[in-house]
Amino acid sequence: MTDLATIGVQRRDTHQLVTYGNAALDVARQTGSAGYVGRKLAVLRPQLAPFRADTHVRHLEQEIARLKAVPA
């Protein structure tokens, strides 16, 4: 799902980016591990900068940061 979110970034498709980014966050939370998915989301996070005008993208970025802040 993180790969599909990354494709959304490349296509400048914020809907795809947010949809799959949030789905990846859900997986990380449900499994109780931010390991592999968390690392992929951390790589995605800097790529969100050009889309920060979109409130959904800002929220996704905040949630990724929150996921990283939670101790494993």
Side-chain angles (χ1 to χ4, degrees):
M1 285 182 240
T2 54
D3 291 338
L4 291 170
T6 301
I7 291 169
V9 168
Q10 295 166 351
R11 294 176 58 205
R12 304 191 63 75
D13 182 343
T14 56
H15 179 71
Q16 179 176 347
L17 160 62
V18 170
T19 299
Y20 289 105
N22 281 322
L25 276 169
D26 288 344
V27 167
R29 289 179 182 135
Q30 288 173 2
T31 61
S33 170
Y36 178 73
V37 176
R39 285 190 298 274
K40 294 212 42 151
L41 286 168
V43 170
L44 175 67
R45 189 171 172 221
Q47 298 176 48
L48 303 180
F51 307 99
R52 285 190 184 130
D54 185 296
T55 58
H56 296 89
V57 174
R58 281 197 313 270
H59 183 262
L60 174 63
E61 186 175 24
Q62 292 168 352
E63 291 301 309
I64 292 171
R66 190 171 299 148
L67 181 69
K68 287 179 58 178
V70 174

Short mmCIF file of all heavy atoms in Angstrom, two decimals:
data_model
loop_
_atom_site.label_atom_id
_atom_site.label_comp_id
_atom_site.label_asym_id
_atom_site.label_seq_id
_atom_site.Cartn_x
_atom_site.Cartn_y
_atom_site.Cartn_z
N MET A 1 0.81 -1.18 0.00
CA MET A 1 0.00 0.00 0.00
C MET A 1 0.86 1.26 0.00
O MET A 1 0.46 2.27 -0.57
CB MET A 1 -0.94 -0.02 1.18
CG MET A 1 -2.08 -1.00 0.96
SD MET A 1 -3.23 -0.99 2.30
CE MET A 1 -3.08 -2.69 2.78
N THR A 2 2.02 1.18 0.64
CA THR A 2 2.90 2.34 0.61
C THR A 2 3.41 2.59 -0.80
O THR A 2 3.59 3.75 -1.19
CB THR A 2 4.08 2.17 1.58
OG1 THR A 2 4.75 0.94 1.30
CG2 THR A 2 3.63 2.20 3.03
N ASP A 3 3.62 1.53 -1.56
CA ASP A 3 4.05 1.70 -2.95
C ASP A 3 2.95 2.38 -3.77
O ASP A 3 3.25 3.24 -4.61
CB ASP A 3 4.41 0.36 -3.58
CG ASP A 3 5.67 -0.25 -2.99
OD1 ASP A 3 6.49 0.50 -2.41
OD2 ASP A 3 5.84 -1.47 -3.10
N LEU A 4 1.70 2.04 -3.53
CA LEU A 4 0.60 2.69 -4.24
C LEU A 4 0.47 4.16 -3.82
O LEU A 4 0.16 5.02 -4.65
CB LEU A 4 -0.71 1.94 -3.99
CG LEU A 4 -0.78 0.55 -4.63
CD1 LEU A 4 -2.00 -0.20 -4.13
CD2 LEU A 4 -0.79 0.66 -6.14
N ALA A 5 0.74 4.46 -2.56
CA ALA A 5 0.75 5.85 -2.11
C ALA A 5 1.88 6.62 -2.81
O ALA A 5 1.68 7.76 -3.25
CB ALA A 5 0.92 5.93 -0.60
N THR A 6 3.02 5.98 -2.96
CA THR A 6 4.16 6.61 -3.65
C THR A 6 3.82 6.88 -5.11
O THR A 6 4.18 7.93 -5.66
CB THR A 6 5.42 5.74 -3.53
OG1 THR A 6 5.71 5.57 -2.14
CG2 THR A 6 6.60 6.36 -4.24
N ILE A 7 3.12 5.97 -5.73
CA ILE A 7 2.69 6.19 -7.12
C ILE A 7 1.75 7.39 -7.17
O ILE A 7 1.81 8.20 -8.10
CB ILE A 7 2.04 4.92 -7.71
CG1 ILE A 7 3.10 3.84 -7.90
CG2 ILE A 7 1.33 5.23 -9.02
CD1 ILE A 7 2.54 2.47 -8.23
N GLY A 8 0.90 7.54 -6.17
CA GLY A 8 0.03 8.71 -6.09
C GLY A 8 0.84 10.00 -6.04
O GLY A 8 0.49 11.00 -6.68
N VAL A 9 1.95 9.99 -5.31
CA VAL A 9 2.85 11.17 -5.27
C VAL A 9 3.39 11.44 -6.67
O VAL A 9 3.36 12.58 -7.15
CB VAL A 9 4.02 10.94 -4.28
CG1 VAL A 9 5.08 12.01 -4.44
CG2 VAL A 9 3.51 10.90 -2.85
N GLN A 10 3.88 10.41 -7.32
CA GLN A 10 4.46 10.57 -8.65
C GLN A 10 3.45 11.07 -9.66
O GLN A 10 3.79 11.86 -10.55
CB GLN A 10 5.08 9.25 -9.12
CG GLN A 10 6.25 8.82 -8.27
CD GLN A 10 6.66 7.37 -8.50
OE1 GLN A 10 5.99 6.61 -9.17
NE2 GLN A 10 7.80 7.00 -7.91
N ARG A 11 2.20 10.65 -9.52
CA ARG A 11 1.15 11.06 -10.44
C ARG A 11 0.49 12.38 -10.02
O ARG A 11 -0.38 12.88 -10.71
CB ARG A 11 0.07 9.98 -10.51
CG ARG A 11 0.56 8.68 -11.13
CD ARG A 11 -0.49 7.60 -11.10
NE ARG A 11 -1.69 8.03 -11.80
CZ ARG A 11 -2.92 7.57 -11.58
NH1 ARG A 11 -3.10 6.66 -10.65
NH2 ARG A 11 -3.93 7.99 -12.26
N ARG A 12 0.91 12.87 -8.83
CA ARG A 12 0.32 14.08 -8.26
C ARG A 12 -1.18 13.88 -8.00
O ARG A 12 -1.98 14.79 -8.14
CB ARG A 12 0.60 15.31 -9.11
CG ARG A 12 2.11 15.51 -9.35
CD ARG A 12 2.48 16.83 -9.95
NE ARG A 12 2.17 18.00 -9.14
CZ ARG A 12 2.83 18.42 -8.06
NH1 ARG A 12 3.86 17.72 -7.63
NH2 ARG A 12 2.48 19.50 -7.41
N ASP A 13 -1.52 12.67 -7.61
CA ASP A 13 -2.89 12.28 -7.34
C ASP A 13 -3.06 12.20 -5.82
O ASP A 13 -2.77 11.17 -5.19
CB ASP A 13 -3.18 10.92 -7.99
CG ASP A 13 -4.60 10.43 -7.81
OD1 ASP A 13 -5.31 10.94 -6.91
OD2 ASP A 13 -4.99 9.52 -8.56
N THR A 14 -3.53 13.30 -5.23
CA THR A 14 -3.63 13.34 -3.77
C THR A 14 -4.65 12.34 -3.23
O THR A 14 -4.48 11.82 -2.13
CB THR A 14 -3.97 14.76 -3.26
OG1 THR A 14 -5.16 15.22 -3.88
CG2 THR A 14 -2.81 15.72 -3.54
N HIS A 15 -5.69 12.08 -3.99
CA HIS A 15 -6.68 11.09 -3.54
C HIS A 15 -6.03 9.72 -3.38
O HIS A 15 -6.20 9.05 -2.36
CB HIS A 15 -7.86 11.03 -4.52
CG HIS A 15 -8.89 10.02 -4.13
ND1 HIS A 15 -9.73 10.20 -3.05
CD2 HIS A 15 -9.19 8.81 -4.64
CE1 HIS A 15 -10.50 9.14 -2.93
NE2 HIS A 15 -10.20 8.27 -3.89
N GLN A 16 -5.28 9.28 -4.38
CA GLN A 16 -4.59 7.98 -4.30
C GLN A 16 -3.57 8.00 -3.17
O GLN A 16 -3.48 7.04 -2.40
CB GLN A 16 -3.91 7.65 -5.63
CG GLN A 16 -3.16 6.33 -5.59
CD GLN A 16 -2.55 5.95 -6.93
OE1 GLN A 16 -2.86 6.53 -7.95
NE2 GLN A 16 -1.68 4.96 -6.91
N LEU A 17 -2.82 9.06 -3.08
CA LEU A 17 -1.80 9.20 -2.04
C LEU A 17 -2.40 9.05 -0.65
O LEU A 17 -1.93 8.26 0.17
CB LEU A 17 -1.13 10.57 -2.18
CG LEU A 17 -0.38 11.15 -1.00
CD1 LEU A 17 0.78 10.26 -0.62
CD2 LEU A 17 0.08 12.54 -1.31
N VAL A 18 -3.47 9.78 -0.38
CA VAL A 18 -4.10 9.76 0.94
C VAL A 18 -4.80 8.42 1.20
O VAL A 18 -4.69 7.86 2.30
CB VAL A 18 -5.07 10.95 1.09
CG1 VAL A 18 -5.91 10.82 2.34
CG2 VAL A 18 -4.30 12.26 1.09
N THR A 19 -5.49 7.91 0.21
CA THR A 19 -6.21 6.64 0.38
C THR A 19 -5.26 5.51 0.77
O THR A 19 -5.48 4.81 1.77
CB THR A 19 -6.97 6.27 -0.91
OG1 THR A 19 -7.92 7.30 -1.19
CG2 THR A 19 -7.66 4.93 -0.78
N TYR A 20 -4.20 5.34 0.01
CA TYR A 20 -3.29 4.24 0.28
C TYR A 20 -2.34 4.53 1.44
O TYR A 20 -1.94 3.61 2.17
CB TYR A 20 -2.52 3.84 -0.98
CG TYR A 20 -3.44 3.15 -1.96
CD1 TYR A 20 -3.90 3.80 -3.10
CD2 TYR A 20 -3.89 1.86 -1.72
CE1 TYR A 20 -4.76 3.18 -3.99
CE2 TYR A 20 -4.76 1.23 -2.59
CZ TYR A 20 -5.19 1.89 -3.72
OH TYR A 20 -6.06 1.26 -4.58
N GLY A 21 -2.02 5.79 1.65
CA GLY A 21 -1.21 6.15 2.82
C GLY A 21 -1.95 5.83 4.11
O GLY A 21 -1.38 5.26 5.04
N ASN A 22 -3.23 6.19 4.16
CA ASN A 22 -4.03 5.89 5.35
C ASN A 22 -4.24 4.39 5.52
O ASN A 22 -4.24 3.88 6.65
CB ASN A 22 -5.38 6.61 5.28
CG ASN A 22 -5.26 8.06 5.67
OD1 ASN A 22 -4.52 8.41 6.58
ND2 ASN A 22 -6.00 8.91 5.00
N ALA A 23 -4.40 3.67 4.43
CA ALA A 23 -4.55 2.22 4.51
C ALA A 23 -3.27 1.59 5.09
O ALA A 23 -3.35 0.68 5.93
CB ALA A 23 -4.87 1.62 3.14
N ALA A 24 -2.12 2.08 4.68
CA ALA A 24 -0.86 1.57 5.21
C ALA A 24 -0.74 1.89 6.70
O ALA A 24 -0.27 1.06 7.48
CB ALA A 24 0.32 2.16 4.43
N LEU A 25 -1.16 3.09 7.09
CA LEU A 25 -1.16 3.44 8.52
C LEU A 25 -2.05 2.49 9.31
O LEU A 25 -1.68 2.04 10.40
CB LEU A 25 -1.67 4.87 8.70
CG LEU A 25 -0.65 5.98 8.55
CD1 LEU A 25 -1.34 7.33 8.48
CD2 LEU A 25 0.35 5.95 9.68
N ASP A 26 -3.22 2.18 8.77
CA ASP A 26 -4.13 1.25 9.44
C ASP A 26 -3.48 -0.11 9.63
O ASP A 26 -3.60 -0.71 10.70
CB ASP A 26 -5.43 1.11 8.66
CG ASP A 26 -6.31 2.34 8.73
OD1 ASP A 26 -6.09 3.19 9.62
OD2 ASP A 26 -7.23 2.45 7.89
N VAL A 27 -2.79 -0.59 8.62
CA VAL A 27 -2.11 -1.89 8.72
C VAL A 27 -1.05 -1.84 9.82
O VAL A 27 -0.96 -2.74 10.66
CB VAL A 27 -1.47 -2.30 7.37
CG1 VAL A 27 -0.52 -3.47 7.55
CG2 VAL A 27 -2.55 -2.63 6.36
N ALA A 28 -0.28 -0.77 9.85
CA ALA A 28 0.77 -0.64 10.86
C ALA A 28 0.17 -0.63 12.27
O ALA A 28 0.69 -1.26 13.18
CB ALA A 28 1.58 0.62 10.61
N ARG A 29 -0.94 0.06 12.42
CA ARG A 29 -1.59 0.13 13.73
C ARG A 29 -2.23 -1.20 14.12
O ARG A 29 -2.14 -1.62 15.27
CB ARG A 29 -2.65 1.22 13.72
CG ARG A 29 -2.06 2.60 13.68
CD ARG A 29 -3.17 3.64 13.63
NE ARG A 29 -2.62 4.96 13.54
CZ ARG A 29 -3.07 5.90 12.72
NH1 ARG A 29 -4.09 5.64 11.92
NH2 ARG A 29 -2.52 7.09 12.69
N GLN A 30 -2.88 -1.86 13.18
CA GLN A 30 -3.56 -3.12 13.47
C GLN A 30 -2.59 -4.23 13.85
O GLN A 30 -2.92 -5.08 14.66
CB GLN A 30 -4.42 -3.55 12.29
CG GLN A 30 -5.66 -2.69 12.11
CD GLN A 30 -6.41 -3.02 10.83
OE1 GLN A 30 -6.04 -3.92 10.09
NE2 GLN A 30 -7.47 -2.27 10.58
N THR A 31 -1.43 -4.21 13.24
CA THR A 31 -0.45 -5.24 13.54
C THR A 31 0.36 -4.90 14.79
O THR A 31 1.10 -5.73 15.29
CB THR A 31 0.52 -5.46 12.36
OG1 THR A 31 1.23 -4.24 12.11
CG2 THR A 31 -0.21 -5.92 11.12
N GLY A 32 0.19 -3.66 15.27
CA GLY A 32 0.91 -3.25 16.46
C GLY A 32 2.39 -3.04 16.22
O GLY A 32 3.18 -2.98 17.15
N SER A 33 2.76 -2.94 14.97
CA SER A 33 4.17 -2.77 14.63
C SER A 33 4.32 -1.74 13.54
O SER A 33 3.68 -1.82 12.50
CB SER A 33 4.77 -4.09 14.16
OG SER A 33 6.06 -3.88 13.64
N ALA A 34 5.18 -0.78 13.79
CA ALA A 34 5.47 0.22 12.78
C ALA A 34 6.74 -0.15 12.03
O ALA A 34 7.27 0.66 11.29
CB ALA A 34 5.62 1.59 13.44
N GLY A 35 7.22 -1.37 12.20
CA GLY A 35 8.46 -1.83 11.59
C GLY A 35 8.60 -1.54 10.11
O GLY A 35 8.91 -0.43 9.70
N TYR A 36 8.35 -2.52 9.30
CA TYR A 36 8.55 -2.41 7.85
C TYR A 36 7.65 -1.33 7.25
O TYR A 36 8.12 -0.46 6.52
CB TYR A 36 8.28 -3.76 7.19
CG TYR A 36 8.42 -3.73 5.69
CD1 TYR A 36 9.68 -3.65 5.10
CD2 TYR A 36 7.30 -3.77 4.87
CE1 TYR A 36 9.81 -3.61 3.72
CE2 TYR A 36 7.42 -3.73 3.49
CZ TYR A 36 8.68 -3.65 2.92
OH TYR A 36 8.80 -3.60 1.56
N VAL A 37 6.38 -1.36 7.56
CA VAL A 37 5.44 -0.39 7.00
C VAL A 37 5.80 1.01 7.49
O VAL A 37 5.78 1.97 6.73
CB VAL A 37 3.98 -0.74 7.36
CG1 VAL A 37 3.02 0.33 6.87
CG2 VAL A 37 3.60 -2.09 6.78
N GLY A 38 6.16 1.12 8.76
CA GLY A 38 6.56 2.41 9.31
C GLY A 38 7.77 2.99 8.61
O GLY A 38 7.83 4.19 8.34
N ARG A 39 8.73 2.14 8.29
CA ARG A 39 9.93 2.61 7.57
C ARG A 39 9.55 3.09 6.17
O ARG A 39 10.06 4.10 5.70
CB ARG A 39 10.98 1.51 7.51
CG ARG A 39 11.70 1.30 8.83
CD ARG A 39 12.91 0.39 8.69
NE ARG A 39 12.55 -0.96 8.25
CZ ARG A 39 12.18 -1.96 9.06
NH1 ARG A 39 12.09 -1.75 10.35
NH2 ARG A 39 11.91 -3.14 8.59
N LYS A 40 8.67 2.36 5.52
CA LYS A 40 8.25 2.77 4.17
C LYS A 40 7.47 4.08 4.22
O LYS A 40 7.61 4.93 3.35
CB LYS A 40 7.43 1.67 3.51
CG LYS A 40 8.30 0.44 3.26
CD LYS A 40 7.99 -0.39 2.09
CE LYS A 40 7.67 0.26 0.83
NZ LYS A 40 8.01 -0.46 -0.35
N LEU A 41 6.65 4.25 5.25
CA LEU A 41 5.92 5.51 5.41
C LEU A 41 6.89 6.65 5.73
O LEU A 41 6.69 7.78 5.27
CB LEU A 41 4.87 5.38 6.50
CG LEU A 41 3.64 4.56 6.13
CD1 LEU A 41 2.80 4.24 7.37
CD2 LEU A 41 2.80 5.29 5.08
N ALA A 42 7.93 6.38 6.50
CA ALA A 42 8.93 7.40 6.81
C ALA A 42 9.63 7.88 5.54
O ALA A 42 9.94 9.07 5.41
CB ALA A 42 9.94 6.86 7.82
N VAL A 43 9.85 6.98 4.61
CA VAL A 43 10.46 7.35 3.33
C VAL A 43 9.48 8.18 2.50
O VAL A 43 9.87 9.12 1.80
CB VAL A 43 10.90 6.08 2.55
CG1 VAL A 43 11.30 6.41 1.12
CG2 VAL A 43 12.04 5.39 3.28
N LEU A 44 8.20 7.87 2.62
CA LEU A 44 7.16 8.59 1.88
C LEU A 44 6.98 10.01 2.41
O LEU A 44 6.73 10.95 1.65
CB LEU A 44 5.84 7.82 1.97
CG LEU A 44 4.60 8.48 1.36
CD1 LEU A 44 4.74 8.56 -0.16
CD2 LEU A 44 3.36 7.71 1.75
N ARG A 45 7.11 10.18 3.71
CA ARG A 45 6.78 11.45 4.36
C ARG A 45 7.44 12.68 3.73
O ARG A 45 6.74 13.67 3.48
CB ARG A 45 7.11 11.35 5.85
CG ARG A 45 6.59 12.53 6.63
CD ARG A 45 6.74 12.28 8.11
NE ARG A 45 6.41 13.49 8.82
CZ ARG A 45 7.07 13.92 9.86
NH1 ARG A 45 8.07 13.23 10.34
NH2 ARG A 45 6.71 15.04 10.44
N PRO A 46 8.74 12.69 3.45
CA PRO A 46 9.34 13.90 2.85
C PRO A 46 8.76 14.22 1.47
O PRO A 46 8.77 15.38 1.05
CB PRO A 46 10.83 13.56 2.75
CG PRO A 46 11.05 12.40 3.64
CD PRO A 46 9.75 11.68 3.74
N GLN A 47 8.24 13.22 0.79
CA GLN A 47 7.68 13.43 -0.54
C GLN A 47 6.33 14.14 -0.50
O GLN A 47 5.80 14.56 -1.53
CB GLN A 47 7.53 12.10 -1.26
CG GLN A 47 8.86 11.39 -1.48
CD GLN A 47 8.65 10.03 -2.11
OE1 GLN A 47 7.92 9.89 -3.07
NE2 GLN A 47 9.31 9.02 -1.54
N LEU A 48 5.76 14.28 0.70
CA LEU A 48 4.45 14.91 0.85
C LEU A 48 4.54 16.44 0.83
O LEU A 48 3.51 17.11 0.69
CB LEU A 48 3.79 14.45 2.15
CG LEU A 48 3.60 12.95 2.31
CD1 LEU A 48 2.94 12.65 3.65
CD2 LEU A 48 2.80 12.37 1.17
N ALA A 49 5.74 17.00 0.98
CA ALA A 49 5.91 18.45 1.08
C ALA A 49 5.18 19.24 -0.01
O ALA A 49 4.52 20.24 0.31
CB ALA A 49 7.40 18.79 1.11
N PRO A 50 5.25 18.86 -1.27
CA PRO A 50 4.57 19.66 -2.30
C PRO A 50 3.04 19.65 -2.19
O PRO A 50 2.37 20.46 -2.83
CB PRO A 50 5.00 19.02 -3.62
CG PRO A 50 6.17 18.17 -3.31
CD PRO A 50 6.04 17.78 -1.87
N PHE A 51 2.51 18.77 -1.36
CA PHE A 51 1.06 18.59 -1.28
C PHE A 51 0.48 19.11 0.04
O PHE A 51 -0.68 18.87 0.34
CB PHE A 51 0.71 17.10 -1.45
CG PHE A 51 1.29 16.50 -2.68
CD1 PHE A 51 2.46 15.76 -2.61
CD2 PHE A 51 0.71 16.70 -3.92
CE1 PHE A 51 3.02 15.20 -3.75
CE2 PHE A 51 1.26 16.15 -5.06
CZ PHE A 51 2.42 15.41 -4.98
N ARG A 52 1.28 19.81 0.83
CA ARG A 52 0.85 20.23 2.17
C ARG A 52 -0.32 21.20 2.17
O ARG A 52 -0.95 21.40 3.20
CB ARG A 52 2.02 20.85 2.93
CG ARG A 52 2.98 19.81 3.43
CD ARG A 52 3.99 20.40 4.38
NE ARG A 52 4.96 19.40 4.75
CZ ARG A 52 6.26 19.59 4.68
NH1 ARG A 52 6.75 20.73 4.27
NH2 ARG A 52 7.07 18.61 5.03
N ALA A 53 -0.63 21.80 1.04
CA ALA A 53 -1.80 22.68 0.98
C ALA A 53 -3.09 21.90 1.18
O ALA A 53 -4.10 22.45 1.61
CB ALA A 53 -1.84 23.43 -0.35
N ASP A 54 -3.06 20.61 0.90
CA ASP A 54 -4.22 19.75 1.05
C ASP A 54 -4.32 19.30 2.52
O ASP A 54 -3.38 18.72 3.06
CB ASP A 54 -4.08 18.53 0.13
CG ASP A 54 -5.30 17.63 0.13
OD1 ASP A 54 -5.60 17.05 1.19
OD2 ASP A 54 -5.94 17.51 -0.93
N THR A 55 -5.45 19.56 3.14
CA THR A 55 -5.61 19.22 4.56
C THR A 55 -5.50 17.72 4.82
O THR A 55 -5.00 17.31 5.86
CB THR A 55 -6.96 19.73 5.11
OG1 THR A 55 -8.03 19.17 4.35
CG2 THR A 55 -7.04 21.24 5.08
N HIS A 56 -5.95 16.91 3.88
CA HIS A 56 -5.86 15.46 4.05
C HIS A 56 -4.41 14.99 4.03
O HIS A 56 -4.03 14.08 4.78
CB HIS A 56 -6.67 14.74 2.97
CG HIS A 56 -8.12 15.02 3.06
ND1 HIS A 56 -8.72 16.09 2.43
CD2 HIS A 56 -9.11 14.40 3.73
CE1 HIS A 56 -10.00 16.09 2.69
NE2 HIS A 56 -10.27 15.08 3.49
N VAL A 57 -3.61 15.60 3.18
CA VAL A 57 -2.19 15.24 3.12
C VAL A 57 -1.50 15.68 4.41
O VAL A 57 -0.69 14.93 4.96
CB VAL A 57 -1.51 15.86 1.88
CG1 VAL A 57 -0.01 15.61 1.90
CG2 VAL A 57 -2.12 15.29 0.60
N ARG A 58 -1.82 16.87 4.90
CA ARG A 58 -1.23 17.33 6.17
C ARG A 58 -1.59 16.38 7.31
O ARG A 58 -0.74 16.04 8.14
CB ARG A 58 -1.70 18.75 6.51
CG ARG A 58 -0.96 19.82 5.75
CD ARG A 58 -1.11 21.19 6.37
NE ARG A 58 -2.48 21.55 6.71
CZ ARG A 58 -3.33 22.17 5.91
NH1 ARG A 58 -2.96 22.48 4.68
NH2 ARG A 58 -4.54 22.48 6.32
N HIS A 59 -2.83 15.93 7.32
CA HIS A 59 -3.26 14.99 8.36
C HIS A 59 -2.49 13.67 8.24
O HIS A 59 -2.02 13.12 9.25
CB HIS A 59 -4.77 14.75 8.27
CG HIS A 59 -5.27 13.86 9.34
ND1 HIS A 59 -5.47 12.51 9.15
CD2 HIS A 59 -5.58 14.11 10.63
CE1 HIS A 59 -5.90 11.98 10.28
NE2 HIS A 59 -5.98 12.92 11.20
N LEU A 60 -2.34 13.18 7.02
CA LEU A 60 -1.58 11.94 6.80
C LEU A 60 -0.14 12.12 7.30
O LEU A 60 0.39 11.25 7.99
CB LEU A 60 -1.58 11.58 5.31
CG LEU A 60 -0.71 10.39 4.90
CD1 LEU A 60 -1.17 9.10 5.57
CD2 LEU A 60 -0.71 10.24 3.39
N GLU A 61 0.45 13.24 6.98
CA GLU A 61 1.83 13.49 7.41
C GLU A 61 1.93 13.51 8.94
O GLU A 61 2.86 12.94 9.52
CB GLU A 61 2.32 14.82 6.83
CG GLU A 61 3.77 15.09 7.12
CD GLU A 61 4.27 16.34 6.44
OE1 GLU A 61 3.47 17.23 6.11
OE2 GLU A 61 5.48 16.42 6.23
N GLN A 62 0.96 14.12 9.60
CA GLN A 62 0.94 14.16 11.06
C GLN A 62 0.79 12.75 11.65
O GLN A 62 1.44 12.41 12.64
CB GLN A 62 -0.19 15.05 11.56
CG GLN A 62 0.03 16.51 11.26
CD GLN A 62 -1.24 17.35 11.49
OE1 GLN A 62 -2.31 16.82 11.74
NE2 GLN A 62 -1.09 18.66 11.36
N GLU A 63 -0.05 11.95 11.02
CA GLU A 63 -0.26 10.59 11.51
C GLU A 63 0.99 9.73 11.31
O GLU A 63 1.30 8.88 12.14
CB GLU A 63 -1.47 9.95 10.83
CG GLU A 63 -2.79 10.59 11.24
CD GLU A 63 -3.04 10.49 12.75
OE1 GLU A 63 -2.92 9.38 13.31
OE2 GLU A 63 -3.33 11.54 13.36
N ILE A 64 1.69 9.95 10.23
CA ILE A 64 2.95 9.21 10.01
C ILE A 64 3.95 9.61 11.09
O ILE A 64 4.62 8.75 11.66
CB ILE A 64 3.52 9.48 8.59
CG1 ILE A 64 2.61 8.87 7.53
CG2 ILE A 64 4.95 8.93 8.48
CD1 ILE A 64 2.97 9.26 6.10
N ALA A 65 4.04 10.90 11.39
CA ALA A 65 4.95 11.37 12.44
C ALA A 65 4.56 10.77 13.79
O ALA A 65 5.43 10.36 14.56
CB ALA A 65 4.93 12.89 12.50
N ARG A 66 3.28 10.71 14.06
CA ARG A 66 2.79 10.13 15.32
C ARG A 66 3.13 8.65 15.39
O ARG A 66 3.52 8.14 16.46
CB ARG A 66 1.29 10.35 15.43
CG ARG A 66 0.76 10.01 16.79
CD ARG A 66 -0.67 10.43 16.96
NE ARG A 66 -0.76 11.87 16.80
CZ ARG A 66 -1.80 12.53 16.31
NH1 ARG A 66 -2.86 11.87 15.91
NH2 ARG A 66 -1.80 13.84 16.21
N LEU A 67 3.00 7.95 14.30
CA LEU A 67 3.32 6.52 14.26
C LEU A 67 4.80 6.31 14.60
O LEU A 67 5.15 5.42 15.36
CB LEU A 67 3.01 5.93 12.88
CG LEU A 67 3.27 4.45 12.69
CD1 LEU A 67 2.29 3.62 13.50
CD2 LEU A 67 3.18 4.09 11.22
N LYS A 68 5.65 7.14 14.06
CA LYS A 68 7.09 7.03 14.33
C LYS A 68 7.42 7.36 15.77
O LYS A 68 8.36 6.83 16.32
CB LYS A 68 7.88 7.97 13.41
CG LYS A 68 7.95 7.52 11.98
CD LYS A 68 8.72 8.49 11.14
CE LYS A 68 10.11 8.68 11.68
NZ LYS A 68 10.94 9.59 10.90
N ALA A 69 6.62 8.23 16.38
CA ALA A 69 6.90 8.68 17.75
C ALA A 69 6.52 7.63 18.79
O ALA A 69 7.00 7.68 19.90
CB ALA A 69 6.17 9.99 18.03
N VAL A 70 5.66 6.70 18.43
CA VAL A 70 5.22 5.67 19.37
C VAL A 70 6.32 4.65 19.54
O VAL A 70 6.80 4.07 18.58
CB VAL A 70 3.91 4.99 18.86
CG1 VAL A 70 3.54 3.83 19.76
CG2 VAL A 70 2.80 6.00 18.75
N PRO A 71 6.76 4.42 20.77
CA PRO A 71 7.82 3.42 20.97
C PRO A 71 7.35 2.01 20.62
O PRO A 71 6.21 1.66 20.88
CB PRO A 71 8.15 3.52 22.47
CG PRO A 71 7.13 4.41 23.08
CD PRO A 71 6.32 5.04 21.99
N ALA A 72 8.25 1.24 20.06
CA ALA A 72 7.91 -0.13 19.64
C ALA A 72 7.86 -1.07 20.80
O ALA A 72 8.38 -0.88 21.82
CB ALA A 72 8.92 -0.60 18.60
#
